[in-house]
Amino acid sequence: MSAPEAVPQLFEALEAPLATLDRLPRALWLGGMTHAQGELVGRLEALEAWRQALLAGDVPADAGAANGWPASGMRAALLACVDGLGLAAYCRAREDVTDTVLQSLLFHLDLVVDYRDRGASAADAQAMALAAFSADWAERCGDMDELIAAFGDLGDLLKNTRWDALRGLLRSSEWREVVRIRRLIERLPALARIIRSLGRARQVDDASASSRALQEVVEPASVLCTSARRLRVPELPGETRGVHRAGRIARMLPSEAMLLGHPQLRLIWHARHAERSLLCYEDDDHLQEECQRPAPVLRPSLQPATARRLEMGAMLICVDTSGSMQGGAEAVAKAVVLEAVRCAHAQRRACHVFAFGGPDEVVEMVLGVDAAGIAKLARFLGQSFGGGTDICAPLERAIARLEEAEWQLADLLIASDGEFGATPALADRLHAVRRDQGLRVQGILIGDRETIGLLELADDIHWVRDWRRYGQAGEGQPTRGEGAEAGGSPVHSKSLTASYFPGALRNPESRSRTVSPEAAAAAVRAGRSSAADAAETNSAHPMPPTRTDP
């Protein structure tokens, strides 16, 4: 049975010239159909050709020439403007930017009629429209360059619906601080490597240097084995084996001894003795000997497992915003937050920031690269730090996040000068999470020395030695050198506590030598009691007075 023939639609022939609308995005429909220049069908086909050329990253040189749009009098100037602004590079593989460029072009070309109504000539009206289009996109291109430099790929951030909100933000003083911090990141390339290593969502080919896992490996070895052997000792009195020629008189046969009694044959005996050819009894014995020799064996041993390094997972960032961080340390801490947002956006990773100060001063931020997220980030980077330091509250919130499914493969990063201390109970709780869930805690030290609080919490500590030079007052200072005169640290090592006060570290050795507060109080009470008993004894049996000479 043959398929039924398609029934022609009533208006199919009339709608056929408008089939281009099916290939154009809906955002270009209204502007393409109501535009004042050119014919409708040719204009829509020209818009499609322009869109395809811009998406390919090319200047649409011949697009629209046969369709009469744009007008031949301004086509060359418009193409020169597009080429001069470099719009093709911004539009490559970005549909949102391409559609925004074409919408803006339709809008400005529609203004030619308005300019003519105000008394301008045709040539002047076209020139005014092109100048307005060029000025508009010169400003937008500069703003896009700043956004791309700060965040990389912008996604749908450049849509017209979001551009107006961004334009006011990019003119604010807070955004100037974002630009300054972005330039600072270029001088701190180690931050990007540290933040990239956070998370445990993906294995890489590199071996993990921090792997604590052990595996049993069978490797070749040698051991000394004891064995017994019999060693034959010739001519040792023992078992008679036969007759042989030798020079031993004690073991010669009687027939040889008879030659000595004959006056002539005794000379033959002496000749045989000299030649060691006398017929003698052959006897020997065996000795039992024990010896040791190496023997190959396979021996099992525990060695560190070559686990692959994990990275590219969710990130929990704790940033110290206390008053001790003002100056260069504050700028480095802000750079950590901005780099975390950039990496999270570029690599599609979750990022949660805890900005902590004094008690009950914790601000949680989920920062994304959208209009609201950029505004929130700009406000954070534009504010000044102040207040006290309390690490317990952000750590408790970070541990609570790790119990959620989305954050179970996250790592924790602490950026601070280290002037804090966690309670022993909270430190033990964090150690339990590290042991049970594999949590890794990275520390960024923005100060001159490692503190006990930071050493107790972090697996690794990365020292930003020259943090002083990154403050507002140090923008024009030289960036070379490592001493205090060049903006670096005045100390030779960050590990001053471990070098000069090793007993203060809360490692297992120091903990074993430290008594608890209860034990110390009991010892003090016992000492006072002993002193009181001694005083009571002395009062009951006073010592005789000591005589002194006048």
Side-chain angles (χ1 to χ4, degrees), residues 11 76 128 136 184 215 235 251 314 342 387 391 405 510 547:
F11 299 102
M128 293 169 64
D136 183 15
L184 188 152
Q215 62 179 356
E235 300 183 356
R251 302 298 293 165
R342 293 180 71 250
I391 192 64
S510 298
R547 179 180 177 181

Side-chain angles (χ1 to χ4, degrees), residues 12 41 73 131 134 182 257 261 354 376 414 469 510 517 544:
E12 184 176 5
V41 177
S134 177
R182 176 66 190 96
F354 302 89
K376 189 185 302 182
I414 302 175
R469 71 179 60 162
S510 298

Side-chain angles (χ1 to χ4, degrees), residues 189 216 340 463:
E216 187 175 283
W463 186 26

Side-chain angles (χ1 to χ4, degrees), residues 280-302:
C280 301
Y281 293 109
E282 180 184 6
D283 52 2
D284 61 10
D285 202 353
H286 293 81
L287 294 179
Q288 192 79 9
E289 182 183 36
E290 291 186 355
C291 60
Q292 292 183 338
R293 66 176 187 275
V297 295
L298 295 178
R299 175 180 298 171
S301 63
L302 292 178

Side-chain angles (χ1 to χ4, degrees), residues 160-206:
N160 269 340
T161 55
R162 296 171 176 85
W163 187 258
D164 293 337
L166 283 176
R167 180 168 292 182
L169 174 63
L170 297 180
R171 302 295 177 269
S172 63
S173 59
E174 290 85 359
W175 180 254
R176 296 301 98 196
E177 181 67 9
V178 174
V179 174
R180 186 183 77 86
I181 297 300
R182 176 66 190 96
R183 293 173 183 157
L184 188 152
I185 293 176
E186 297 175 356
R187 297 156 60 186
L188 294 169
L191 288 182
R193 294 194 297 268
I194 296 170
I195 293 174
R196 178 182 175 84
S197 65
L198 297 177
R200 292 162 283 129
R202 190 184 73 180
Q203 288 185 346
V204 296
D205 295 334
D206 301 337

Side-chain angles (χ1 to χ4, degrees), residues 475-513:
E475 284 294 325
Q477 294 181 358
T479 59
R480 295 184 179 180
E482 297 185 354
E485 67 279 359
S489 176
V491 299
H492 64 284
S493 171
K494 70 178 186 298
S495 303
L496 296 182
T497 303
S499 300
Y500 296 103
F501 305 99
L505 301 179
R506 297 178 183 176
N507 49 30
E509 182 179 359
S510 298
R511 287 177 181 269
S512 63
R513 299 179 180 179

Side-chain angles (χ1 to χ4, degrees), residues 241-253:
R241 301 174 59 86
V243 177
H244 69 136
R245 294 187 180 276
R248 297 177 64 192
I249 298 176
R251 302 298 293 165
M252 67 181 178
L253 268 64

